[in-house]
Amino acid sequence: MNDAQNAPAAASGPVRRSRDVPMLVERARAGDPRAVARLITLVESGDEVLPRVAAALAPYAGHAQVVGLTGSPGVGKSTTTNELVRALRARGHRVGVLAIDPSSPFTGGAILGDRVRMQDHATDPGVYIRSMSSRGHLGGLSAATPQAVRVLEGAGCDVVLVETVGVGQAEVEVASLADTTLVLLAPGMGDAIQAVKAGILEIADVFVVNKADRDGADATVRDIQGMIALGERGPGEWRPQVVRSIAARGEGIDDIAAAIDKHRDWLERHDELRRRREARAAAEIEAIALGVLRARIGSLRDGTQLPTLAAKVAEGAIDPYAAAEELISQLGS
């Protein structure tokens, strides 16, 4: 189900530019990849029908397992994702992949196009792969990622894999989106030290030491296990797993899948899955509300209120906090 795969040619015309939300959701539920692609495009572009898309998808939310994969460039995130898709399909799961890529400074589009690395699944109707541009959004994700996950849930995906940009120490946002977060590291890249600097110890549910056939793999595993041992945990709290893999040869993928399963069982037993998903929903609501407020503040720039307040602050007649309070009161009126 790779974007435009496996859909009747006659359907492509009305779907490709359609803004008929009920029709698009119905076709996405039926497995039409063009409808899924169109819905994600509407989400990414912030189309005015987005609230209707969200309302139509709401009944299908919360059914997919969301797994995040993050780590530095070159650790093998895309290869690991590709092999995880293979393992999940062997279990009979429908799988969605959101591969977040850096933005082109010229077009704003995704530069790397991780779908190129996942062509093994291009003709599989049970797999949907979408590259999304980060569009300058920090944290390793795209601002549209949470709603794109909802689209894939609505399309009947049992598991959604979210692969982050791969830019380094700021990539912690995926932990607020995923049920289970995998942090990939590789020997010889200084990742153990980077993990300490980035606070990755706090966001990883599973550490994957990929390229484990390289020299230094044992030392990397020991470093990570040592950091885990230093972490403070109460009784019954999750202890991050450390798994070795050689994703390029398909080795260790079953161990990664088993670690994900173990974490999912722990989440359900300790009611942590509900807590995480409620926190995710709260973050979504907050982001949407802040977006609306920013848009309203932007519209004030065309009027007189904001320039008047700015002039008063500049001449010392009023302080910026008081000006902000006055501006907020204007937004509510």
Side-chain angles (χ1 to χ4, degrees), residues 164-177:
T164 71
V165 168
V167 293
Q169 297 176 29
E171 288 186 75
V172 296
E173 188 178 351
V174 68
S176 66
L177 176 69

Side-chain angles (χ1 to χ4, degrees), residues 1-9 11-12 15-16 31-38 115 122-125 127-130:
M1 198 164 66
N2 190 349
D3 266 1
Q5 290 286 119
N6 307 308
S12 63
V15 168
R16 189 167 294 155
D32 182 346
R34 289 188 176 93
V36 178
R38 179 58 180 159
R115 285 176 295 175
T123 59
D124 186 343
V127 179
Y128 183 92
I129 301 169
R130 174 76 172 227

Side-chain angles (χ1 to χ4, degrees), residues 229-314:
L230 291 174
E232 295 183 3
R233 287 176 193 81
E237 288 190 28
W238 174 254
R239 180 184 177 88
Q241 306 288 289
V242 183
V243 181
R244 300 171 187 248
S245 69
I246 309 173
R249 301 207 297 252
E251 297 178 12
I253 302 302
D254 289 340
D255 293 335
I256 296 173
I260 293 171
D261 291 341
K262 185 175 180 180
H263 184 245
R264 174 64 179 247
D265 291 342
W266 178 85
L267 289 172
E268 292 178 340
R269 285 199 318 271
H270 292 80
D271 199 31
E272 183 69 12
L273 186 61
R274 177 194 59 79
R275 191 200 67 78
R276 288 194 180 196
R277 291 185 172 181
E278 287 182 357
R280 184 192 312 168
E284 278 188 76
I285 295 167
E286 181 181 357
I288 292 168
L290 288 174
V292 172
L293 288 174
R294 288 192 190 100
R296 290 183 181 176
I297 289 173
S299 67
L300 289 178
R301 291 182 181 274
D302 298 328
T304 60
Q305 184 66 22
L306 186 56
T308 300
L309 288 171
K312 289 181 178 180
V313 170

